[in-house]
Amino acid sequence: MLIFTAASALEVTVWCWDPNFNGATMKEAAERYTAQHPDTTFNIVDFAKADVEQKLQTALSSNTTDALPDIVLIEDYGAQKYLQSFPGAFAEMTGKVDYSGFAPYKVNLMTVEGKTYGMPFD
């Protein structure tokens, strides 16, 4: 699942793990996006999953939002923890994405109080 932490920018930083799965998918997505938006560059950073979680938790706990990426990949079970523990830290995607084509349980995992903050990924 993708969780968006900031508005769109000309330089987009993505934190992910597993360069053979979600890292590779993010690189493909970046190539497709930049084909239509050539002024945008992507900085895709692969970490160990535990490192992504630790860096995200540390930045959110210290309210150091400038240390956060624009997009962070979070496993389903962790999304509610972050969304409920750090209200206002993530960009709302409600109305920007048509979620009707996704399994409702996946969308519910990234929805709090009727507002959706991510994109189902797998």
Side-chain angles (χ1 to χ4, degrees):
M1 148 176 338
L2 305 175
I3 299 289
F4 297 89
T5 60
S8 297
L10 289 178
E11 182 175 342
V12 179
T13 298
V14 180
W15 286 357
C16 56
W17 68 92
D18 189 355
N20 296 316
F21 174 55
N22 61 39
T25 303
M26 290 296 97
K27 288 177 184 171
E28 174 69 20
E31 289 173 10
R32 290 181 183 201
Y33 188 85
T34 56
Q36 298 294 316
H37 305 89
D39 292 340
T40 304
T41 59
F42 284 81
N43 178 24
I44 300 170
V45 185
D46 287 309
F47 295 106
K49 186 172 80 67
D51 291 342
V52 170
E53 293 169 350
Q54 181 180 357
K55 289 177 74 62
L56 183 60
Q57 182 72 33
T58 300
L60 291 169
S61 295
S62 65
N63 202 25
T64 311
T65 57
D66 59 338
L68 292 172
D70 300 294
I71 300 171
V72 60
L73 278 76
I74 299 172
E75 285 192 320
D76 292 347
Y77 68 85
Q80 283 291 313
K81 172 182 78 171
Y82 290 112
L83 293 170
Q84 291 182 20
S85 297
F86 303 101
F90 297 94
E92 182 184 354
M93 300 298 295
T94 307
K96 296 179 179 159
V97 175
D98 178 5
Y99 291 104
S100 65
F102 295 100
Y105 84 94
K106 294 290 268 187
V107 176
N108 289 340
L109 291 168
M110 64 188 94
T111 301
V112 174
E113 297 179 2
K115 297 177 182 177
T116 306
Y117 296 88
M119 174 71 77
F121 180 72
D122 55 346

